[in-house]
Amino acid sequence: MVRDADRPRSHPAIPSEPVAGLSARAAGSASSSRVLDPTVAYQVQGQPAPRPTVFVSDSLLVRGWHPDTQSALETVTRRAGFRLSWEDARTTDRALLAGSGLPPARLEELEAVWVTRARLVPLDDRDDAVFPPIDTWRLLQTYRTVVTDPERRSDVALEHPAELGIDPAPYTGSHPYTGSHPYTGSHPYTGSHSVGLSQYAVAGSGGRQPVTWLGAAPEPDPTLGVELRRPLVAIIDSGVGEHPWLDEEHVLHDPTVLGEPIGIPSLQQEVDADSDTQRLVGELGPDAGHGTFIAGLIRQACPDALVLSVRLFRDNGIVDEADLLRALQLLALRQLLALSGDQRYPLLDVVSLSLGYYHEQPEDSAFDPLFAGPLALLGRCGVAVVASAGNDATDRPIYPAAFAGTTPPDGTLPVSAVGALNPDGTVALFSNDGPWVRYLRPGAGLVSTLPTTLDGSMEATNRLVGRLGEERSAIDPDDFRSGFAVWSGTSFSAPVFAGQLARALLQSFASGDTDPAPEAAFDRATAALATMPGRRSP
């Protein structure tokens, strides 16, 4: 019998703004980031008030190549005393698409969602010129009032710094949540506090900690034929390092499409220092080994799966949104080529995204982030997108997970948003929530793979030579050469779900359902999703 005193207490929902404490990492990154303050931000009559977010202060994202969009943007930029400096990819990518050989309808579909970045450069570029900083948000709002075609208003958006992880302050360990960035992606917990949400950051309570694995490696299903098509799961993350479970039989590195790299090269060294502190002190980055941990979870959930590792983040977990979007767009191009019969590219089945952003105007569908375009295109190509729900314990919509709260067009697979469970089956305290969180999977205190070369400069508290000459030591807190660790975050519940989905797709392949057509892939993935236990019906 459960007494009232033993029941979990119920409290009224308290609205929270996860970005209020923003950006310890984004502000310290190479990007010039700024916090959008709704109390002083310019607004357009009739639009909902903006909410806090972090954005790159000297760039904008532009979708497509429509002349009205470019003309209006150039006009307002020049009025502000600046000019547009387009990144080289705007030209090279258009040439890449034009030379892809895709049918015109497919090419038009891809060009319509393609996003490139424009930097804002002062018109007076003399070395001794003095100019005020550009107010990118004001410039964007002005563009929306100037462009004549209403359909073009959503072609331009702020660029947000993408971050792998909402964790306690990674360098000082003193603030419980500094990572309320737009791209909170992988959400590992690496901090130091031991109460409330941040207890998950502490070794022994779910924080990143080396452990020993005594079990066997995940074994492929012996009942399945060796020629059976294996589900391909793309991980856009920090790369996959060295580990016996993750050899070339199980992981494809450095993907390309038409000779163009997708992401950045694979790890040359496991300690990928991005800050002065890391370089001079030898600390591991807050997200070191993150992609390897995710790959190990997918192998545990579906040993027969093949992982496509798209390395986009370094160990500090930061990347600009334009680079993330470009990786997704190139994946979509690769998938379209595979569907057209190009044998160089195996068909993609699942994309696992342990990242997210808080959009400044989530209530206004007209200004949905440009992130939605390539994800919807992947969904139309039969690729199931899985996204982590975030670690801020908030019900504020976080994207791309919150796209799961919208009904996709016919023939488009929905985004699957995944929250985290504790080992006892309760919902993890840090896990974001909302009607868009369709699924819950283990995400706290998980055991998975880390690179066997990962060893930071921290040392055990005690180390000595015993009476027989053997070395005795306490646990070295950042020596992961055992190849295994415990870690927590919704960034890990998402790949658990992705691996389970891959396993369901494998059963379809084993039954003979291997038709590569987008319509067949849509039906196959829809049937697989229907077998996934969820907390709410879509």
Side-chain angles (χ1 to χ4, degrees), residues 340-407:
S340 69
D342 194 324
Q343 297 298 312
R344 292 174 294 177
Y345 310 117
L347 284 167
L348 185 61
D349 299 294
V350 183
V351 171
S352 182
L353 295 172
S354 291
L355 48 86
Y357 65 88
Y358 296 103
H359 191 241
E360 61 274 5
Q361 291 180 305
E363 297 85 0
D364 194 334
S365 60
F367 300 125
D368 272 350
L370 306 189
F371 200 177
L375 294 183
L377 179 54
L378 285 168
R380 290 193 294 276
C381 293
V383 180
V385 176
V386 179
S388 56
N391 295 346
D392 287 312
T394 179
D395 60 2
R396 176 176 173 180
I398 184 172
Y399 295 90
F403 289 135
T406 61
T407 302

Side-chain angles (χ1 to χ4, degrees), residues 120-443:
L120 304 171
V121 179
L123 283 172
D124 189 346
D125 58 1
R126 295 174 302 167
D127 291 341
D128 60 349
V130 178
F131 56 90
I134 184 69
D135 186 338
T136 316
W137 171 250
R138 181 181 181 182
L139 182 69
L140 174 61
Q141 294 294 72
T142 304
Y143 162 81
R144 290 170 175 171
T145 63
V146 167
V147 68
T148 55
D149 185 350
E151 293 186 5
R152 306 271 66 84
R153 290 176 187 166
S154 59
D155 281 350
V156 183
L158 295 178
E159 179 177 14
H160 307 90
E163 179 177 352
L164 279 182
I166 303 182
D167 30 352
Y171 305 117
T172 64
S174 60
H175 299 312
Y177 286 93
T178 58
S180 41
H181 297 266
Y183 279 81
T184 54
S186 56
H187 325 289
Y189 279 83
T190 56
S192 58
H193 294 279
S194 57
V195 295
L197 302 181
S198 52
Q199 66 183 294
Y200 291 95
V202 180
S205 296
R208 186 175 60 183
Q209 169 189 347
V211 296
T212 301
W213 177 277
L214 295 179
E219 291 291 337
D221 189 336
T223 65
L224 302 176
V226 293
E227 299 300 324
L228 182 68
R229 181 189 158 194
R230 299 165 63 186
L232 181 60
V233 181
I235 302 173
I236 297 181
D237 212 89
S238 60
V240 178
E242 295 182 28
H243 195 280
W245 288 13
L246 305 171
D247 56 20
E248 60 184 13
E249 182 182 350
H250 302 99
V251 181
L252 303 176
H253 297 273
D254 299 322
T256 63
V257 57
L258 300 178
E260 189 70 20
I262 305 177
I264 59 179
S266 293
L267 301 171
Q268 300 302 312
Q269 56 181 12
E270 299 305 331
V271 180
D272 187 12
D274 287 294
S275 71
D276 288 340
T277 301
Q278 287 175 259
R279 285 189 292 270
L280 298 178
V281 182
E283 293 180 348
L284 296 181
D287 297 298
H290 188 269
T292 307
F293 198 88
I294 287 175
L297 292 172
I298 290 175
R299 273 225 66 199
Q300 291 180 65
C302 183
D304 292 276
L306 185 61
V307 168
L308 182 69
S309 175
V310 179
R311 186 183 180 221
L312 201 61
F313 299 86
R314 301 185 187 277
D315 284 359
N316 68 354
I318 302 259
V319 71
D320 287 337
E321 184 179 358
D323 300 319
L324 173 60
L325 286 173
R326 187 167 187 264
L328 287 167
Q329 290 159 183
L330 290 172
L331 275 181
L333 171 59
R334 180 182 166 117
Q335 182 74 356
L336 287 170
L337 290 169
L339 291 170
S340 69
D342 194 324
Q343 297 298 312
R344 292 174 294 177
Y345 310 117
L347 284 167
L348 185 61
D349 299 294
V350 183
V351 171
S352 182
L353 295 172
S354 291
L355 48 86
Y357 65 88
Y358 296 103
H359 191 241
E360 61 274 5
Q361 291 180 305
E363 297 85 0
D364 194 334
S365 60
F367 300 125
D368 272 350
L370 306 189
F371 200 177
L375 294 183
L377 179 54
L378 285 168
R380 290 193 294 276
C381 293
V383 180
V385 176
V386 179
S388 56
N391 295 346
D392 287 312
T394 179
D395 60 2
R396 176 176 173 180
I398 184 172
Y399 295 90
F403 289 135
T406 61
T407 302
D410 291 343
T412 302
L413 291 169
V415 171
S416 298
V418 188
L421 293 173
N422 290 314
D424 64 0
T426 58
V427 179
L429 197 62
F430 58 77
S431 188
N432 286 3
D433 204 356
W436 37 273
V437 181
R438 306 293 194 193
Y439 304 97
L440 295 171
R441 290 297 184 273

